[in-house]
Structure formats: C-alpha cells, structure tokens
Amino acid sequence: MMDMERAIAAANHAMVRHLGRHLSDVETEILKGSWQGQTYDQIASASGYSDSYLRRDVGNKFWKALSQSLGETVSKNNFKEALRRHGEQMLVPTAPVDSPAVVPAVASNIAEPAVSPASYPAPYIEREPLETICRDTLCQPGSLVRVKAPSLMGKTLLMDHVLPQLEVKGSRTVRISLELADRQVHFANLNRFLRWLCINITRSLALPNELDDYWDEEGMGSKVSCSTYVEEYLLASSDAPLVLCLDDVDLLFPYPEIYEDFFGLLRSWYEMARTRSRPLWKQLRLAIVHSTDVYIPLNINQSPFNVGVPIEITEFTPDQIERFAMLHGLASPLDLAPLIAMVGGHPYLLEQAFDFLKTHPEESLAALLAKAPTETGIYANHLREHWITLRDTPALTATLRQVLETHEPIVLEPVQAHQLHSMGIIKLTGNIAEPRCQLYRQYFHTQLGEG
C-alpha cells in the first residue's frame, strides 16, 4: 500500500524525469492535502496560502504538469492510482552508472543490472566543470552566477544538484521559479511582484511573515521596502549565508514596467554585497537562471547580466550521451549514432528516447526514429505543444519559416529569434540561425508545408 510520503516521492520522480524540475513547496502542500482528502479551503488554511491562489493558479498548473509527467490525465480526485502505478515502475532495477558488471542482454536494448537499488534515481549527468564552478562561486560572499540554456536543457537540474551541496556546507538555499507567479496578478506592477517574491522567500526559509512590518510603499517605495526586508529580516535571521536562486527570470522580459526596476534592484544587492559598509549583504549569494540571451534594453550599470560568473549549459557530448544511456540501463552495444543524428545532444529528447527503449525492449531504435517527427512518434506531445505556440504567434511562425528556408547566415528579428532560441527550437550563433536538430527541422517543415 502506498503511503503519502511514497506518493510525494513518486510525483517528484515523474516531474524530474519528464519536466526536468522537482515539486515546488506549494505543489507539495497541494499533493499532501489532496492525499488526505482535504479541500482547497482546508489546504489553504493549513499552509498559509490563499484559497484562490491554490485553486485557480497553482492547482490547475500542477495537475496539468503531473498529468504530462505521468502520461495520463489526473486530477485532484483521481491521482492516487496513477501515482501508485508510477511508484511500482520506480522499483524496476537499473544499472548503476559506475557498475563494472553491465552485461548486454540478448536480443534486447536493456542491460542486466549488477545490483538492484531500492528505488530508481532520476538520472543526472554531471557537466563538469560547470557544477564545480557554480558551487565554488556561490560559496563566496556576495557572489552571483548566471545560468543560461534553452528550455529543457537541464538548468533546473543543475541547480537542484548544486543547491543541496551548498546546504551541506552550511548555506540556506531558496529556489523560486517565476513560472509559479500568477502573471495577471503578480506581474501587474512592481510592488505586487516584490511582495510576492519576499513572501515566497520567507516561506521557503520557514520564517514567520513579517512583511507588513517592513513595507512602506508610499513612504520608502517598494524597492527600498524590499531591500530593507531582505537585509534586516531575512539575512539577519541567521548567521548562515543565503543562496537565492531565481529561475525563469526571462519571463519578466515582456514586462518593462517590472524588469527595469527589478533587475536594477538585483544589481544593487550584488554591489552592496561587495562593499564593507553593509556586512549583512555579504551573506547573500545570487543565482539567476534564464532561457535566452538578454535582448531587453538595460543600463549596463544597472544590469545583473554583465556581472558575476556566466554558466552556459550546452548539449551533451557523445561520451555524456553514452553514459546517459547506461544510466537508463541500456546496453552499451546499442548504436546511438542514428539517435544523435536525429536529436543531437538534447537532454530531454534523449531522455524520452531512452525511457521508451527501456520500457519497450521489443521496439527497435530504427522504428522509434522512423516515427519520431510524426504525430504517432514518442515526441508527438512535445512537438505539438511547440506547434500550438508557434501557430498562435504568427511572428514566430514567420521567423521559423525564414530559418527553414535558408542555410545561409541571415539576420532575424531579435525578439522572435530569441524566443525561438529560448524554446529550444533553433540555435543562434551570431547571425546564423538553424533548427536545433533534425527532429525539429523535419517536423516543422511538414507543419509549415515546406516538405
């Protein structure tokens, strides 16, 4: 019988493997309350969140994300059986990455494991020296790292790998994704956004909410109020350093009424942390995670994107791909060259292929690839989601058409080019734009009527 803790572990495992992120604190609260049969009102009362925030914003997004991760439609009322089934799949043994005794299975893609671990860990491929640079930088007083990569390339997994190591070294860590903000509410103006940010940092640190005691929008303004709260309450509450990881910050790029002041505020925190006059700020270390180059206009002296240490995540190398396959228990004689030719070193696309081959040993890689760029292939949902976004945004469709029509260097409209790059559909090298992989080239050629 599955208990609540195992259900949370199963949900977290599914989210990491299919969406590349862990359950957030608020999603965990929803899952716990739903498992116990609580209404949103009861969950809100116990957790401190508002009922409308849980019901209308986070709840809807969470059940959609969990459905995508589990491969079936689930809701607050019917999720238990789906998690139980996924929990049983987690118990299927797999080969450890460093095991010397992986023996290729006969007439199968699956390798027989040398040991049978109690649970199936989410595969993670280290990209050294990126992890070491990120960890060592964030150990320094007043540090800042900027982690950049297109969607589904492993930014969140990198930070989820590094942050626990910083906790072991004595830091307090907080990771907040701007994806969890209600854009119509929290992105409405700077004051609402900064209050949302402070409240979420406070909750993540398990501190009482003292925001109203420090906030004076009319007298001091929201930026000074926010800085005062961070310095005099959040930083002063402990001698331990505070590592604040802000994920998906590029979601603010369409909101100049917020990003100009907010990014300037982050830069001011960074500068204060590097002076001797404000010792508490030295306890703050910042990690800014985003999916695209910074195409918005920012004063170079007020931007956090031209200071600190940049970390850019790229596709897996052939050696990393082979190791990734082994982590999934796939036999080493499997020829990965055709798969690499189709999807390159894209972590998410490789993960989907390896998962399929592991759970469908009777299917060949050749058959998988033949259907890959079609509506019947394993990437159908992923490709369709991209196509819906493109179809509903004519400017993006027109820009992608330009990319598909030529192999020569071309100058693209910057905003659309960076949005396509953020989605992971194209690669940008200066003025040279091309589809990220053959999978995207073939699929979108068909959709745009070019093939």
Side-chain angles (χ1 to χ4, degrees), residues 375-421:
E375 292 292 342
T376 60
I378 65 169
Y379 301 116
N381 290 336
H382 170 72
L383 294 169
R384 195 177 303 118
E385 287 179 4
H386 275 328
W387 175 241
I388 290 172
T389 300
L390 292 167
R391 185 190 62 193
D392 294 341
T393 314
L396 288 181
T397 305
T399 302
L400 180 59
R401 189 184 297 274
Q402 283 184 272
V403 174
L404 293 175
E405 286 178 345
T406 181
H407 292 280
E408 300 297 323
I410 55 174
V411 178
L412 299 174
E413 198 287 323
V415 173
Q416 274 75 52
H418 285 298
Q419 286 177 339
L420 289 173
H421 181 259

Side-chain angles (χ1 to χ4, degrees), residues 217-232:
E217 182 185 4
E218 297 297 327
M220 296 191 300
S222 56
K223 288 194 293 183
V224 174
S225 296
C226 179
S227 296
T228 302
Y229 185 75
V230 170
E231 179 182 18
E232 298 182 5

Side-chain angles (χ1 to χ4, degrees), residues 170-444:
S171 293
R172 299 178 291 166
T173 67
V174 173
R175 186 175 70 82
I176 295 177
S177 170
L178 270 60
E179 184 67 51
L180 294 177
D182 185 328
R183 300 179 197 186
Q184 292 184 337
V185 176
H186 303 121
F187 290 0
N189 57 61
L190 182 67
N191 186 69
R192 285 188 179 181
F193 174 73
L194 292 180
R195 286 183 66 92
W196 173 85
L197 179 66
C198 287
I199 289 172
N200 278 275
I201 297 173
T202 304
R203 287 191 57 83
S204 295
L205 294 173
L207 293 171
N209 182 357
E210 303 289 347
L211 195 60
D212 290 337
D213 293 340
Y214 291 85
W215 210 268
D216 182 4
E217 182 185 4
E218 297 297 327
M220 296 191 300
S222 56
K223 288 194 293 183
V224 174
S225 296
C226 179
S227 296
T228 302
Y229 185 75
V230 170
E231 179 182 18
E232 298 182 5
Y233 182 55
L234 299 180
L235 293 177
S237 65
S238 171
D239 292 333
L242 173 59
V243 180
L244 175 59
C245 176
L246 299 174
D247 205 348
D248 301 306
V249 299
D250 41 304
L251 291 178
L252 284 180
F253 289 1
Y255 300 89
E257 64 277 10
I258 295 178
Y259 75 64
E260 291 178 356
D261 285 320
F262 177 61
F263 290 142
L265 184 65
L266 292 182
R267 174 65 178 263
S268 73
W269 291 355
Y270 170 77
E271 298 292 353
M272 286 189 289
R274 298 176 68 80
T275 67
R276 296 182 178 181
S277 60
R278 308 287 285 273
L280 278 175
W281 283 106
K282 290 185 179 297
Q283 296 294 83
L284 180 66
R285 295 93 197 269
L286 291 171
I288 301 174
V289 184
H290 54 110
S291 296
T292 185
D293 290 328
V294 181
Y295 59 83
I296 54 176
L298 287 172
N299 185 312
I300 60 172
N301 296 315
Q302 297 178 348
S303 171
F305 296 103
N306 56 8
V307 293
V309 176
I311 295 177
E312 185 163 1
I313 298 176
T314 57
E315 295 185 352
F316 284 151
T317 65
D319 286 345
Q320 290 171 331
I321 294 172
E322 184 175 351
R323 190 177 181 200
F324 201 28
M326 294 294 289
L327 268 175
H328 284 78
L330 296 178
S332 55
L334 180 65
D335 181 10
L336 296 174
L339 177 62
I340 295 174
M342 177 65 76
V343 304
H346 194 298
Y348 175 78
L349 300 179
L350 291 167
E351 172 97 7
Q352 297 304 298
F354 294 157
D355 275 346
F356 181 84
L357 293 173
K358 179 180 177 64
T359 55
H360 299 78
E362 74 284 356
E363 293 285 338
S364 68
L365 178 58
L368 180 156
L369 294 175
K371 294 186 291 185
T374 74
E375 292 292 342
T376 60
I378 65 169
Y379 301 116
N381 290 336
H382 170 72
L383 294 169
R384 195 177 303 118
E385 287 179 4
H386 275 328
W387 175 241
I388 290 172
T389 300
L390 292 167
R391 185 190 62 193
D392 294 341
T393 314
L396 288 181
T397 305
T399 302
L400 180 59
R401 189 184 297 274
Q402 283 184 272
V403 174
L404 293 175
E405 286 178 345
T406 181
H407 292 280
E408 300 297 323
I410 55 174
V411 178
L412 299 174
E413 198 287 323
V415 173
Q416 274 75 52
H418 285 298
Q419 286 177 339
L420 289 173
H421 181 259
S422 173
M423 293 169 66
I425 294 177
I426 67 171
K427 294 179 182 179
L428 282 177
T429 307
N431 290 332
I432 301 175
E434 60 180 335
R436 179 159 293 277
C437 59
Q438 284 299 315
L439 175 72
Y440 293 153
R441 179 182 292 278
Q442 294 179 27
Y443 177 80
F444 292 117

